[in-house]
Amino acid sequence: MPRKPSPGDESEWKSSLQRYVRLFNRTESEQNARDLSQYVADALHAERLQQRTDRLRERDLLRGAIPAGSETKAELIRVNESAGEVSVLVRLHVKRKMEQKGMYYMEERQETERLWLRRDGRDWTVLQVEPVVSERRPRYGISAQLQEQDSDTLLPEETESMLSGSAPYLNYELMPGFKRWKGGIPYRRELAAAYADRWWNEGNPSFELFDVNCTNYVSQCIFAGNAPMNYTGRRESGWWYKGRAGNRENWSYSWAVANAMAAYLSAARKGGLRAVIVSSADELQLGDVIAYDWNGEGRFQHTTIVTAFDSAGQPLVNANTVPSRHRYWDYRDSYAWTSGTKYRFFHIPDLL
């Protein structure tokens, strides 16, 4: 008869997990994956980790940036135990203090990993590590299949007045406070960045929270910077959000889907939210947007917003699917990054 897990088992595997977290933090601080790679009995992940660490070290050397300290905290999300085996889903909150040209800044991110551990005599071995690479998932929910079905994405005019979505649907045409801006509505970059820093690691309860939340989060930030919604009632057009009414999702694809937002910002228009595509990251300002095509295949899967700059004037960005705050813009420290990754840099004008 199989032996049931004992309290001693839990104490022992948690001790092994704690050691894993300490070695993870050392890897972040020293930019050397040797000790962690040797601790894990997963050759595939050891290679994956080494490649990421090498990219990070090379990039930071070119930037003239070095880690001045690192802290990693772990949160257990889910645990499945059996006699002699355990699998855990763990969230790692990483803080790295960076020094560059005599100045310091703090970058943060929260990564999620699945670990499988097995008892090996008196010890527990980390058999397998699987990073949860949420940035690679272009869809944002069960309704994503409707993205290609125009007939299901329209809001019938006769029912539109009956839909009562959650905040923050606003009709700017009815807001006289904006009427005085004959040249357009000022884009408040500092407000967009402040909102991004406030909600980088959690969801604003006034909005839906998606499994893949990066573009929804960036849209909220832009909206917080006074960008006017372009409400059309058609999910495949405009840039708008009304919330959920029953089972109906009342927001445009451009609000919540990375590729749709990139297409919307790329299109020419005279008023409202729009952007200019610039050639390099150092042309961006606070509140501007970067879209990421991980494989270079012409479809964008991730979106970030510029919230700060390093000592060299390069953007630091926030994101929300893998919560990130003041992360260096190129994402070479992400498992989603590939040698084929392409970027699109969007500068939002000062007047919308």
Side-chain angles (χ1 to χ4, degrees):
M1 183 176 180
R3 182 177 65 86
K4 294 182 179 180
S6 68
D9 288 340
E10 180 175 347
S11 174
E12 291 166 0
W13 70 252
K14 282 189 175 180
S15 178
S16 294
L17 179 60
Q18 289 167 359
R19 185 180 178 193
Y20 175 87
V21 174
R22 289 196 298 270
L23 292 174
F24 182 100
N25 186 66
R26 183 186 300 175
T27 299
E28 290 287 323
S29 180
E30 299 178 0
Q31 296 186 336
N32 188 325
R34 180 190 57 202
D35 292 342
L36 183 56
S37 296
Q38 292 176 349
Y39 183 65
V40 174
D42 183 343
L44 178 61
H45 182 67
E47 180 181 3
R48 182 168 50 211
L49 176 67
Q50 187 65 56
Q51 290 175 350
R52 182 174 81 158
T53 305
D54 289 347
R55 291 197 308 266
L56 184 60
R57 182 174 60 252
E58 179 183 1
R59 182 198 71 184
D60 287 348
L61 282 173
L62 290 174
R63 295 173 56 210
I66 58 173
S70 179
E71 177 185 76
T72 301
K73 295 182 178 180
E75 175 190 356
L76 287 176
I77 302 173
R78 186 165 59 247
V79 177
N80 293 313
E81 289 187 81
S82 62
E85 294 185 353
V86 62
S87 66
V88 298
L89 185 65
V90 60
R91 180 180 293 118
L92 301 168
H93 185 172
V94 183
K95 290 184 179 181
R96 288 205 316 159
K97 184 179 181 181
M98 302 298 295
E99 187 272 329
Q100 185 184 37
K101 298 180 180 180
M103 300 181 67
Y104 296 86
Y105 72 89
M106 185 74 73
E107 65 177 30
E108 299 181 71
R109 71 180 191 277
Q110 292 182 0
E111 296 186 349
T112 303
E113 294 184 343
R114 294 186 182 92
L115 282 74
W116 286 263
L117 300 91
R118 177 180 296 170
R119 175 180 284 281
D120 184 9
R122 293 186 175 183
D123 298 322
W124 285 78
T125 300
V126 180
L127 288 178
Q128 184 178 347
V129 181
E130 180 184 285
V132 180
V133 191
S134 300
E135 298 119 324
R136 275 196 166 275
R137 297 164 59 191
R139 306 297 193 183
Y140 64 90
I142 59 174
S143 69
Q145 294 179 351
L146 298 181
Q147 193 173 353
E148 308 300 334
Q149 301 174 10
D150 290 349
S151 62
D152 290 339
T153 63
L154 306 182
L155 296 180
E157 293 181 3
E158 61 270 22
T159 62
E160 177 65 20
S161 62
M162 300 172 60
L163 299 178
S164 56
S166 60
Y169 173 64
L170 296 176
N171 185 342
Y172 283 92
E173 295 299 316
L174 301 180
M175 297 181 68
F178 287 110
K179 293 294 187 180
R180 66 181 183 274
W181 300 103
K182 296 182 180 179
I185 298 171
Y187 181 44
R188 298 287 302 277
R189 301 179 183 280
E190 75 284 2
L191 295 182
Y195 183 98
D197 280 345
R198 167 61 184 86
W199 296 105
W200 73 275
N201 62 347
E202 61 179 321
N204 183 339
S206 294
F207 296 84
E208 290 287 321
L209 179 64
F210 306 133
D211 289 338
V212 179
N213 201 54
C214 59
T215 307
N216 175 41
Y217 164 76
V218 169
S219 286
Q220 293 174 36
C221 297
I222 296 171
F223 183 69
N226 282 349
M229 290 188 191
N230 176 12
Y231 177 71
T232 65
R234 295 170 59 96
R235 302 195 67 191
E236 71 277 14
S237 65
W239 177 74
W240 55 274
Y241 179 94
K242 285 189 67 177
R244 186 185 294 273
N247 293 324
R248 183 178 289 277
E249 299 169 341
N250 297 321
W251 51 81
S252 64
Y253 293 128
S254 60
W255 181 276
V257 180
N259 198 60
M261 170 175 270
Y264 186 82
L265 292 177
S266 298
R269 59 179 56 84
K270 296 180 179 179
L273 176 62
R274 60 196 186 280
V276 176
I277 300 174
V278 296
S279 59
S280 62
D282 56 12
E283 297 179 70
L284 299 176
Q285 300 179 28
L286 279 182
D288 284 342
V289 173
I290 304 177
Y292 299 75
D293 173 3
W294 298 123
N295 296 319
E297 297 175 345
R299 185 172 185 85
F300 296 96
Q301 298 102 353
H302 187 51
T303 315
T304 65
I305 186 167
V306 178
T307 53
F309 297 90
D310 68 7
S311 299
Q314 290 293 311
L316 305 176
V317 299
N318 283 25
N320 191 253
T321 297
V322 174
S324 304
R325 178 179 178 271
H326 298 183
R327 186 174 184 173
Y328 192 72
W329 66 267
D330 70 1
Y331 264 66
R332 290 174 69 91
D333 58 347
S334 171
Y335 288 118
W337 188 90
T338 72
S339 59
T341 294
K342 294 182 180 179
Y343 311 91
R344 187 168 292 178
F345 307 110
F346 293 105
H347 170 62
I348 299 174
D350 293 333
L351 292 177
L352 300 174

